[in-house]
Amino acid sequence: MSLAVTTGAAGALPGAPRLPDLLRRHWPLLPLAATVLMLLAPVPAGDASTSGKVGPADAASLLLVAVCGVQALRGRVRPLSPLAVLVLGVPALALAVATATAGDPYAALPGFVRYLQVFVLVPAAVVLLVRDAFEFRLAAGCFVVLALVQGAVGVVQYATRTGASYQGEDIRAVGTFGPGDVMGMATVVSYGLVVATAAALSPALTRRVRRLSAAAALVLVLPLVLSFSRGAWIATAGAAVLVMAMAGIRRAAKVLAALAAAGVVLVGGLGVGSEMVAERLTSITQVSSAPDQSVTDRYTMWAAAGSMWQERPALGVGLKGFPAHRDGHASLGLSSGSDTAGAGQGYVRQPLLSPHNMYLLVLSEQGLVGLVALAGGWLALLVAGARRYAAAGGGVRDCGLIAIGLLFWQLTDFLYADIGGPSTVLTGVIIGLAAWWALPPRAAAGRAAGPLRAAGAAGR
């Protein structure tokens, strides 16, 4: 809540609107806020998988796209540069090709809709509707709110032993996502931690906002640790180091020292899951010596995805084609599924339907055409965002830190995970925020701060 509330409070930033003006001038952002905050709604007990289902956050994202369409017809959206049209439009063409050339286009159609939602429509709506730095900060603040609430639920689950099952104990923090989506809470907590860290390092924000953001980042370390998610730990550490390096070594050293101290106190001093955390960290490097079954399954499915791509290198096996082709390409080392239990749900055996690597998933199902269209666009956003950050004035550089940090986290996490579950819709929001920063309108591209400089400027 630190970013959202303090930027909108009277006196926090010069010219910041009061609540009635905020709602009147920035109402198109309400569906965007709802897309993020609707993930506070719990997944019903026993619903181990939300695949193919439209959750509250997905419904809010559809409303976001609809509002964007109406505002576009009224001429009240942010103009797109030609590069932005290219980066956001090419994936749609690649997805259409992958669907049309799939062995069963009808079965691939749900995948086409999901990919279009996450990687085209939601990002485009965010770019078009977010008009200035103040609105960007409001959207980013929603991630902090979501992370704090989900993290609090996760900590309670660990303390009361009502979380998901982990090594025979119901202690894994999963928030309201349930054991069927053990990565959900870790993902949203990581998002909030990256946003809070970037805000704490930005001199463009007030001292009060920076202090609250630093406090939020420290608080979010605990639920992230208790998620026992190796991929989230790695991605968050990488994103935090990048953000700190971009903000400056002297300023970053204070935040890094505080985060390290928090980790030492929580795990070392208070003994919060110390043995399990140490074992989980050690397992990251145990790839060939003594890997656990989850690591074995992951590498087996990676090999299967590579084999599928070799079979059809240009276009892949088609959207949603990985499960159907998995057994024909996987070795006998692959287990039948993963065990889930706890957090209000009985024992469920979940099938392994994806390689848990977004790049390999795209490569196997969409081939080189899809990988270049999607991953190439993400890389372009990262490079363009870094270049704009280097040239931008101090008034909006916090937006750059947040956008680059979130995108880097997502691209790193894609090495260990792919899309799936209710939190997937946030991937589209993050790509949209990154594109908003990296691809300013042509009129703004030639100026350091551009027309989006005013932190609390009144809406148009």
Side-chain angles (χ1 to χ4, degrees), residues 192-240:
L193 199 156
V194 171
V195 171
T197 301
L201 292 168
S202 176
L205 299 175
T206 65
R207 180 174 297 180
R208 180 188 179 196
V209 173
R210 294 199 305 270
R211 287 178 176 175
L212 289 174
S213 298
L218 292 175
V219 167
L220 290 173
V221 170
L222 177 57
L224 180 61
V225 169
L226 297 180
S227 70
F228 298 107
S229 173
R230 294 168 292 196
W233 292 347
I234 295 171
T236 303

Short mmCIF file of all heavy atoms in Angstrom, two decimals, residues 192-240:
data_model
loop_
_atom_site.label_atom_id
_atom_site.label_comp_id
_atom_site.label_asym_id
_atom_site.label_seq_id
_atom_site.Cartn_x
_atom_site.Cartn_y
_atom_site.Cartn_z
N GLY A 192 5.93 -7.75 -5.39
CA GLY A 192 5.84 -6.66 -4.42
C GLY A 192 7.17 -6.28 -3.84
O GLY A 192 7.47 -5.10 -3.63
N LEU A 193 8.02 -7.29 -3.60
CA LEU A 193 9.34 -7.01 -3.04
C LEU A 193 10.20 -6.23 -4.03
O LEU A 193 10.92 -5.30 -3.65
CB LEU A 193 10.01 -8.33 -2.66
CG LEU A 193 11.18 -8.26 -1.66
CD1 LEU A 193 11.33 -9.60 -0.95
CD2 LEU A 193 12.49 -7.89 -2.31
N VAL A 194 10.13 -6.57 -5.31
CA VAL A 194 10.90 -5.85 -6.33
C VAL A 194 10.41 -4.41 -6.44
O VAL A 194 11.22 -3.47 -6.51
CB VAL A 194 10.80 -6.58 -7.69
CG1 VAL A 194 11.41 -5.72 -8.80
CG2 VAL A 194 11.49 -7.92 -7.63
N VAL A 195 9.09 -4.22 -6.47
CA VAL A 195 8.54 -2.86 -6.55
C VAL A 195 8.96 -2.04 -5.34
O VAL A 195 9.39 -0.88 -5.46
CB VAL A 195 7.00 -2.90 -6.66
CG1 VAL A 195 6.41 -1.50 -6.53
CG2 VAL A 195 6.58 -3.50 -7.99
N ALA A 196 8.83 -2.62 -4.15
CA ALA A 196 9.17 -1.89 -2.92
C ALA A 196 10.66 -1.57 -2.86
O ALA A 196 11.04 -0.47 -2.44
CB ALA A 196 8.76 -2.72 -1.70
N THR A 197 11.50 -2.49 -3.30
CA THR A 197 12.94 -2.23 -3.31
C THR A 197 13.28 -1.09 -4.26
O THR A 197 14.07 -0.19 -3.92
CB THR A 197 13.72 -3.50 -3.71
OG1 THR A 197 13.41 -4.55 -2.78
CG2 THR A 197 15.21 -3.24 -3.71
N ALA A 198 12.69 -1.11 -5.45
CA ALA A 198 12.95 -0.04 -6.41
C ALA A 198 12.48 1.31 -5.88
O ALA A 198 13.16 2.33 -6.03
CB ALA A 198 12.26 -0.36 -7.74
N ALA A 199 11.31 1.33 -5.25
CA ALA A 199 10.78 2.59 -4.70
C ALA A 199 11.67 3.09 -3.55
O ALA A 199 11.89 4.30 -3.42
CB ALA A 199 9.35 2.39 -4.21
N ALA A 200 12.17 2.17 -2.74
CA ALA A 200 13.03 2.58 -1.63
C ALA A 200 14.34 3.18 -2.11
O ALA A 200 14.95 3.99 -1.39
CB ALA A 200 13.32 1.36 -0.74
N LEU A 201 14.77 2.84 -3.32
CA LEU A 201 16.03 3.33 -3.85
C LEU A 201 15.89 4.59 -4.70
O LEU A 201 16.89 5.11 -5.17
CB LEU A 201 16.69 2.23 -4.69
CG LEU A 201 17.18 1.00 -3.95
CD1 LEU A 201 17.53 -0.11 -4.92
CD2 LEU A 201 18.37 1.34 -3.08
N SER A 202 14.66 5.06 -4.91
CA SER A 202 14.45 6.15 -5.85
C SER A 202 14.40 7.51 -5.15
O SER A 202 13.52 7.77 -4.33
CB SER A 202 13.14 5.95 -6.62
OG SER A 202 12.90 7.05 -7.46
N PRO A 203 15.32 8.42 -5.49
CA PRO A 203 15.28 9.76 -4.90
C PRO A 203 14.14 10.61 -5.43
O PRO A 203 13.85 11.67 -4.90
CB PRO A 203 16.64 10.36 -5.31
CG PRO A 203 17.02 9.62 -6.55
CD PRO A 203 16.48 8.23 -6.38
N ALA A 204 13.47 10.15 -6.50
CA ALA A 204 12.34 10.91 -7.06
C ALA A 204 11.13 10.89 -6.13
O ALA A 204 10.27 11.77 -6.22
CB ALA A 204 11.96 10.35 -8.43
N LEU A 205 11.05 9.90 -5.25
CA LEU A 205 9.93 9.79 -4.34
C LEU A 205 10.26 10.47 -3.02
O LEU A 205 11.43 10.71 -2.68
CB LEU A 205 9.60 8.31 -4.10
CG LEU A 205 9.20 7.53 -5.36
CD1 LEU A 205 9.02 6.06 -5.03
CD2 LEU A 205 7.94 8.10 -6.00
N THR A 206 9.23 10.77 -2.26
CA THR A 206 9.44 11.44 -0.98
C THR A 206 10.11 10.51 0.02
O THR A 206 10.11 9.28 -0.14
CB THR A 206 8.10 11.91 -0.39
OG1 THR A 206 7.30 10.75 -0.10
CG2 THR A 206 7.36 12.81 -1.36
N ARG A 207 10.70 11.09 1.04
CA ARG A 207 11.37 10.29 2.06
C ARG A 207 10.40 9.33 2.74
O ARG A 207 10.75 8.19 3.05
CB ARG A 207 12.03 11.21 3.09
CG ARG A 207 12.76 10.47 4.21
CD ARG A 207 13.50 11.42 5.12
NE ARG A 207 14.55 12.14 4.38
CZ ARG A 207 15.35 13.03 4.94
NH1 ARG A 207 15.22 13.32 6.24
NH2 ARG A 207 16.28 13.63 4.23
N ARG A 208 9.18 9.81 2.97
CA ARG A 208 8.19 8.95 3.62
C ARG A 208 7.87 7.73 2.76
O ARG A 208 7.81 6.60 3.27
CB ARG A 208 6.91 9.75 3.86
CG ARG A 208 5.81 8.95 4.54
CD ARG A 208 4.52 9.75 4.58
NE ARG A 208 3.45 8.98 5.19
CZ ARG A 208 2.16 9.29 5.10
NH1 ARG A 208 1.79 10.35 4.41
NH2 ARG A 208 1.26 8.55 5.69
N VAL A 209 7.71 7.93 1.45
CA VAL A 209 7.42 6.81 0.56
C VAL A 209 8.60 5.85 0.53
O VAL A 209 8.41 4.63 0.56
CB VAL A 209 7.10 7.34 -0.86
CG1 VAL A 209 6.98 6.17 -1.84
CG2 VAL A 209 5.81 8.14 -0.85
N ARG A 210 9.81 6.39 0.49
CA ARG A 210 10.98 5.52 0.45
C ARG A 210 11.10 4.69 1.72
O ARG A 210 11.45 3.50 1.67
CB ARG A 210 12.25 6.36 0.25
CG ARG A 210 12.33 7.05 -1.11
CD ARG A 210 13.75 7.46 -1.45
NE ARG A 210 14.36 8.29 -0.42
CZ ARG A 210 14.29 9.61 -0.39
NH1 ARG A 210 13.61 10.26 -1.34
NH2 ARG A 210 14.90 10.30 0.56
N ARG A 211 10.83 5.31 2.87
CA ARG A 211 10.93 4.56 4.13
C ARG A 211 9.86 3.47 4.22
O ARG A 211 10.14 2.34 4.65
CB ARG A 211 10.80 5.54 5.30
CG ARG A 211 12.04 6.42 5.50
CD ARG A 211 11.83 7.39 6.64
NE ARG A 211 13.05 8.16 6.90
CZ ARG A 211 13.12 9.16 7.78
NH1 ARG A 211 12.05 9.49 8.50
NH2 ARG A 211 14.26 9.80 7.97
N LEU A 212 8.64 3.82 3.84
CA LEU A 212 7.57 2.81 3.86
C LEU A 212 7.86 1.68 2.88
O LEU A 212 7.60 0.50 3.17
CB LEU A 212 6.24 3.47 3.53
CG LEU A 212 5.66 4.39 4.60
CD1 LEU A 212 4.40 5.08 4.08
CD2 LEU A 212 5.34 3.60 5.87
N SER A 213 8.41 2.03 1.73
CA SER A 213 8.74 1.01 0.74
C SER A 213 9.85 0.10 1.25
O SER A 213 9.80 -1.13 1.06
CB SER A 213 9.16 1.67 -0.57
OG SER A 213 8.11 2.44 -1.12
N ALA A 214 10.86 0.67 1.90
CA ALA A 214 11.94 -0.15 2.47
C ALA A 214 11.39 -1.09 3.54
O ALA A 214 11.78 -2.27 3.61
CB ALA A 214 13.02 0.75 3.05
N ALA A 215 10.48 -0.58 4.37
CA ALA A 215 9.88 -1.43 5.39
C ALA A 215 9.08 -2.57 4.76
O ALA A 215 9.14 -3.72 5.21
CB ALA A 215 8.98 -0.58 6.30
N ALA A 216 8.33 -2.25 3.68
CA ALA A 216 7.57 -3.29 3.00
C ALA A 216 8.48 -4.35 2.41
O ALA A 216 8.19 -5.55 2.49
CB ALA A 216 6.71 -2.66 1.90
N ALA A 217 9.60 -3.93 1.83
CA ALA A 217 10.54 -4.89 1.26
C ALA A 217 11.09 -5.82 2.33
O ALA A 217 11.19 -7.04 2.13
CB ALA A 217 11.68 -4.15 0.56
N LEU A 218 11.43 -5.26 3.50
CA LEU A 218 11.95 -6.09 4.58
C LEU A 218 10.91 -7.09 5.07
O LEU A 218 11.21 -8.26 5.32
CB LEU A 218 12.42 -5.20 5.73
CG LEU A 218 13.64 -4.34 5.47
CD1 LEU A 218 13.91 -3.42 6.65
CD2 LEU A 218 14.87 -5.21 5.19
N VAL A 219 9.67 -6.63 5.19
CA VAL A 219 8.59 -7.50 5.66
C VAL A 219 8.35 -8.65 4.68
O VAL A 219 8.10 -9.79 5.09
CB VAL A 219 7.30 -6.68 5.86
CG1 VAL A 219 6.09 -7.59 6.04
CG2 VAL A 219 7.44 -5.76 7.06
N LEU A 220 8.46 -8.37 3.39
CA LEU A 220 8.15 -9.38 2.38
C LEU A 220 9.23 -10.45 2.25
O LEU A 220 9.00 -11.48 1.60
CB LEU A 220 7.93 -8.70 1.02
CG LEU A 220 6.65 -7.86 0.92
CD1 LEU A 220 6.61 -7.09 -0.39
CD2 LEU A 220 5.42 -8.75 1.05
N VAL A 221 10.38 -10.23 2.85
CA VAL A 221 11.43 -11.26 2.82
C VAL A 221 10.95 -12.54 3.50
O VAL A 221 11.20 -13.65 3.03
CB VAL A 221 12.72 -10.75 3.48
CG1 VAL A 221 13.73 -11.89 3.67
CG2 VAL A 221 13.35 -9.63 2.66
N LEU A 222 10.22 -12.39 4.62
CA LEU A 222 9.79 -13.55 5.39
C LEU A 222 8.87 -14.47 4.60
O LEU A 222 9.15 -15.68 4.48
CB LEU A 222 9.13 -13.11 6.70
CG LEU A 222 8.57 -14.21 7.59
CD1 LEU A 222 9.66 -15.21 7.96
CD2 LEU A 222 7.94 -13.61 8.86
N PRO A 223 7.74 -13.98 4.05
CA PRO A 223 6.89 -14.92 3.30
C PRO A 223 7.57 -15.49 2.07
O PRO A 223 7.28 -16.62 1.66
CB PRO A 223 5.67 -14.07 2.91
CG PRO A 223 6.12 -12.65 3.01
CD PRO A 223 7.13 -12.64 4.13
N LEU A 224 8.49 -14.74 1.46
CA LEU A 224 9.22 -15.28 0.32
C LEU A 224 10.07 -16.48 0.74
O LEU A 224 10.11 -17.50 0.06
CB LEU A 224 10.09 -14.21 -0.32
CG LEU A 224 10.91 -14.65 -1.55
CD1 LEU A 224 9.98 -15.12 -2.66
CD2 LEU A 224 11.80 -13.52 -2.03
N VAL A 225 10.72 -16.35 1.88
CA VAL A 225 11.52 -17.47 2.41
C VAL A 225 10.63 -18.67 2.70
O VAL A 225 10.96 -19.81 2.37
CB VAL A 225 12.28 -17.03 3.67
CG1 VAL A 225 12.91 -18.25 4.37
CG2 VAL A 225 13.37 -16.02 3.32
N LEU A 226 9.48 -18.41 3.30
CA LEU A 226 8.60 -19.49 3.72
C LEU A 226 7.83 -20.12 2.56
O LEU A 226 7.11 -21.09 2.76
CB LEU A 226 7.60 -18.97 4.77
CG LEU A 226 8.23 -18.47 6.07
CD1 LEU A 226 7.16 -17.98 7.03
CD2 LEU A 226 9.07 -19.57 6.72
N SER A 227 7.96 -19.54 1.36
CA SER A 227 7.34 -20.17 0.20
C SER A 227 8.13 -21.39 -0.27
O SER A 227 7.61 -22.22 -1.01
CB SER A 227 7.24 -19.17 -0.96
OG SER A 227 8.53 -18.88 -1.49
N PHE A 228 9.41 -21.49 0.15
CA PHE A 228 10.30 -22.59 -0.24
C PHE A 228 10.37 -22.74 -1.75
O PHE A 228 10.50 -23.85 -2.28
CB PHE A 228 9.85 -23.92 0.40
CG PHE A 228 9.88 -23.90 1.90
CD1 PHE A 228 8.71 -23.85 2.64
CD2 PHE A 228 11.09 -23.91 2.58
CE1 PHE A 228 8.75 -23.83 4.03
CE2 PHE A 228 11.14 -23.89 3.96
CZ PHE A 228 9.96 -23.84 4.70
N SER A 229 10.28 -21.61 -2.46
CA SER A 229 10.32 -21.62 -3.91
C SER A 229 11.71 -21.22 -4.40
O SER A 229 12.09 -20.05 -4.32
CB SER A 229 9.26 -20.65 -4.47
OG SER A 229 9.40 -20.52 -5.86
N ARG A 230 12.45 -22.18 -4.91
CA ARG A 230 13.82 -21.91 -5.35
C ARG A 230 13.86 -20.95 -6.53
O ARG A 230 14.70 -20.05 -6.58
CB ARG A 230 14.50 -23.23 -5.73
CG ARG A 230 14.70 -24.17 -4.56
CD ARG A 230 15.11 -25.56 -4.99
NE ARG A 230 14.02 -26.25 -5.71
CZ ARG A 230 13.99 -27.56 -5.93
NH1 ARG A 230 14.98 -28.32 -5.51
NH2 ARG A 230 12.99 -28.12 -6.59
N GLY A 231 12.95 -21.13 -7.48
CA GLY A 231 12.93 -20.25 -8.64
C GLY A 231 12.65 -18.81 -8.27
O GLY A 231 13.27 -17.88 -8.80
N ALA A 232 11.70 -18.60 -7.35
CA ALA A 232 11.37 -17.24 -6.92
C ALA A 232 12.54 -16.61 -6.17
O ALA A 232 12.80 -15.41 -6.31
CB ALA A 232 10.12 -17.26 -6.03
N TRP A 233 13.25 -17.40 -5.36
CA TRP A 233 14.42 -16.87 -4.65
C TRP A 233 15.47 -16.37 -5.65
O TRP A 233 16.02 -15.28 -5.52
CB TRP A 233 15.04 -17.95 -3.78
CG TRP A 233 14.19 -18.37 -2.61
CD1 TRP A 233 13.08 -17.73 -2.13
CD2 TRP A 233 14.39 -19.53 -1.78
NE1 TRP A 233 12.57 -18.42 -1.05
CE2 TRP A 233 13.35 -19.52 -0.82
CE3 TRP A 233 15.32 -20.55 -1.78
CZ2 TRP A 233 13.24 -20.51 0.15
CZ3 TRP A 233 15.22 -21.55 -0.81
CH2 TRP A 233 14.18 -21.53 0.14
N ILE A 234 15.75 -17.20 -6.64
CA ILE A 234 16.79 -16.84 -7.62
C ILE A 234 16.39 -15.60 -8.41
O ILE A 234 17.18 -14.66 -8.58
CB ILE A 234 17.05 -18.03 -8.57
CG1 ILE A 234 17.64 -19.21 -7.80
CG2 ILE A 234 17.97 -17.61 -9.70
CD1 ILE A 234 17.73 -20.49 -8.61
N ALA A 235 15.16 -15.58 -8.90
CA ALA A 235 14.70 -14.44 -9.70
C ALA A 235 14.67 -13.16 -8.88
O ALA A 235 15.04 -12.08 -9.38
CB ALA A 235 13.32 -14.74 -10.28
N THR A 236 14.23 -13.25 -7.63
CA THR A 236 14.15 -12.05 -6.79
C THR A 236 15.54 -11.53 -6.45
O THR A 236 15.78 -10.31 -6.48
CB THR A 236 13.39 -12.36 -5.49
OG1 THR A 236 12.09 -12.87 -5.82
CG2 THR A 236 13.22 -11.11 -4.65
N ALA A 237 16.45 -12.43 -6.16
CA ALA A 237 17.83 -11.99 -5.87
C ALA A 237 18.44 -11.30 -7.08
O ALA A 237 19.08 -10.25 -6.97
CB ALA A 237 18.68 -13.19 -5.45
N GLY A 238 18.23 -11.87 -8.25
CA GLY A 238 18.77 -11.27 -9.47
C GLY A 238 18.17 -9.91 -9.76
O GLY A 238 18.89 -8.95 -10.09
N ALA A 239 16.83 -9.79 -9.63
CA ALA A 239 16.17 -8.52 -9.90
C ALA A 239 16.58 -7.46 -8.88
O ALA A 239 16.78 -6.29 -9.23
CB ALA A 239 14.65 -8.71 -9.88
N ALA A 240 16.70 -7.86 -7.61
CA ALA A 240 17.09 -6.90 -6.58
C ALA A 240 18.50 -6.37 -6.81
O ALA A 240 18.76 -5.18 -6.68
CB ALA A 240 16.98 -7.55 -5.20
#
